Structure formats: C-alpha cells, structure tokens
Amino acid sequence: MGAKHGSRSASTGGSGKGPAGGSTGGSKDADRRIGRRALIVGGTAAAVGTAALARDELARLWWRVPGVERPREAGAVDYGGARWVAASDENWRRADRPDDFGVDMVIVHVTQGSFASAVRAFQDPGHKAATHYIVGQDGRVTQMIRELDVAYHAGNRDYNERSVGIEHEGFVDRPQDFTDEMYAASARLTAGICARYEIPLDREHIIGHVEVPGTDHTDPGPHWDWDRYLKLVRRAATSAPSPSDSKSA
Ligand SMILES: [Zn+2]
C-alpha cells in the first residue's frame, strides 16, 4: 500500500473477488461449470471439442472440487523466518498457487505508517487490501496471507494473481526508515520466494508497486536502493538456506 496519491484508497482497483478463471462469469457460475466439466472429464472422452478448454479450467479450479483442496495447517507460514498473523479474509482471495496461477513476481511496497498500523489495516475487513508479508525496520517478518492465495496489494488483478507482495515499514520520503536490518530481512525473504517459484532475480521480476501498470501509488519511492536490494537478494540466494526456510504445508 503506501504512498497514496489522489483520492483512491489503497489498491482495490482490479483486485475484485471474481472466479479464478478470469473470463468466466460470477463465482456461482464457475462452481456450476466446474461441476459439469468434472463430470465430462471424468466420464467418456466424448466431449472432444471442449476437452482442451475443460482441461484448462480444471487446471485452474480443480481444488474447488470438494475433497481435492490442498490441506492447510492453521498458522503455517511459507517462510521460516516469519511470524503468522492472519489478515482479514476480505483482503485476499483463496487460491492454490502456483497450480492455478503461476507466481513470477515479487512486489515491493512501503507502508506509509508503522508496522503495527499496517498489521491493523490488513486485519481490517474494510481495508480491502493487504500484502502477504510485512517487514519491520528491526528486521522482523510477519506473514498475513499464504503464498497459495491472492493478496490484494498491487491494484491490478493480473499482478495480484502472479505476485507475492511485501510491505516495508516506513515512509517513502524518509530514507532513514530503510534500515540495514530491513533490507537484509527482506532480501532473505525475497530470495526464498524466488527460489520456491523459480523467479529470476532481476528487476523485471522484483518490482516496486510504482511499476505496476495502472497504479497511482509511488512506493517504494526514490530512496529505496534497488541496486543494494538486488545485490542482497542474490547474495541470500547463493548462501546455504537455513533449515527454517523450508516451505511448510
Ligand atoms: Zn504499495
């Protein structure tokens, strides 16, 4: 979030709750469709004309068929260094990434407020936005949304679906907010995300909110040191992963 310019509240644009398929109708329609297609695919191969389409649909929505959703453990985190605090479920959409949507991007944000205020905002169902992670100036990392799920943080549906969002505690116009501890912790987090989804460690795939098409946000702002950050991410990626970095259920 952060760095709101203009009157829009934090990044709701384009991140509405719809069916995962994108081109399908309402979510109820999608549910009906998946049921029917599941039957078609499960039966004879007669429906040749729609088979490819049905396969695509199933690849994205298979987990919505009762009984096949990936099991989740309450309080589990994707990054061993993170503490779990759940965001309001109004601020994200359930998904099963990377099986339904590929993840090929990390988006860097700045909170424009304290760590605690960001946590509170993401717990607020009225906020309608949240990132997967928040990194504090002291280097602490809180995860609020699973990487499986689509967080509303980019203000762009496509970018939300394909990215992991990280907030950083501070203000875009205060370079002193971007501490060594924060850069280091965030770089380790991003290195882990990029390793999990085989995301290239470059500025095409590790971007700022300001670079998302259609956004009116400016974070992380001119004081965020991209060269330094990328160097730290690459260094973290080549050092041996700590045992606690393993992906949990
Ligand atoms: Zn932002």
Side-chain angles (χ1 to χ4, degrees):
M1 63 178 177
K4 292 165 219 160
H5 285 238
S7 56
R8 289 199 325 157
S9 69
S11 53
T12 51
S15 58
K17 297 191 175 191
S23 60
T24 55
S27 58
K28 281 179 184 146
D29 290 337
D31 285 334
R32 271 204 304 278
R33 192 168 301 120
I34 189 72
R36 195 164 61 238
R37 290 204 174 137
L39 286 176
I40 290 168
V41 171
T44 68
V48 176
T50 59
L53 180 60
R55 249 196 332 271
D56 280 358
E57 195 89 358
L58 279 172
R60 290 199 149 192
L61 298 176
W62 66 270
W63 58 268
R64 297 176 73 169
V65 178
V68 301
E69 185 169 356
R70 195 184 303 206
R72 297 175 186 230
E73 188 187 325
V77 293
D78 297 295
Y79 174 67
R83 188 176 73 101
W84 175 257
V85 178
S88 165
D89 59 15
E90 293 297 307
N91 298 329
W92 55 276
R93 193 176 81 224
R94 201 172 176 97
D96 194 42
R97 304 190 309 170
D99 290 342
D100 51 359
F101 300 105
V103 178
D104 68 354
M105 217 173 259
V106 172
I107 300 182
V108 169
H109 300 262
V110 169
T111 57
Q112 294 299 94
S114 69
F115 191 95
S117 73
V119 172
R120 274 198 306 276
F122 296 171
Q123 290 173 317
D124 175 2
H127 189 62
K128 305 297 183 200
T131 50
H132 296 87
Y133 295 97
I134 309 173
V135 179
Q137 289 174 9
D138 58 2
R140 83 186 114 155
V141 178
T142 290
Q143 181 169 11
M144 299 192 68
I145 297 169
R146 292 296 304 274
E147 291 174 8
L148 292 162
D149 297 320
V150 175
Y152 303 155
H153 62 95
N156 175 312
R157 181 173 176 159
D158 173 48
Y159 278 62
N160 282 340
E161 288 170 345
R162 64 197 285 193
S163 68
V164 173
I166 306 176
E167 283 283 1
H168 297 84
E169 177 187 22
F171 292 84
V172 293
D173 58 352
R174 292 207 317 219
Q176 67 271 27
D177 286 352
F178 305 149
T179 62
D180 295 347
E181 292 81 2
M182 191 168 80
Y183 273 118
S186 178
R188 283 193 297 271
L189 172 61
T190 290
I193 294 164
C194 291
R196 279 193 280 290
Y197 306 103
E198 299 181 343
I199 301 173
L201 306 181
D202 59 35
R203 287 282 286 115
E204 303 294 308
H205 298 87
I206 303 172
I207 69 168
H209 191 179
V210 64
E211 294 166 275
V212 174
T215 189
D216 58 352
H217 288 230
T218 63
D219 56 318
H223 300 298
W224 181 264
D225 188 341
W226 281 109
D227 288 343
R228 177 183 181 190
Y229 188 61
L230 266 289
K231 209 172 287 177
L232 288 169
V233 171
R234 291 185 182 120
R235 192 184 301 163
T238 52
S239 61
S242 84
S244 62
D245 281 351
S246 64
K247 185 177 180 178
S248 47

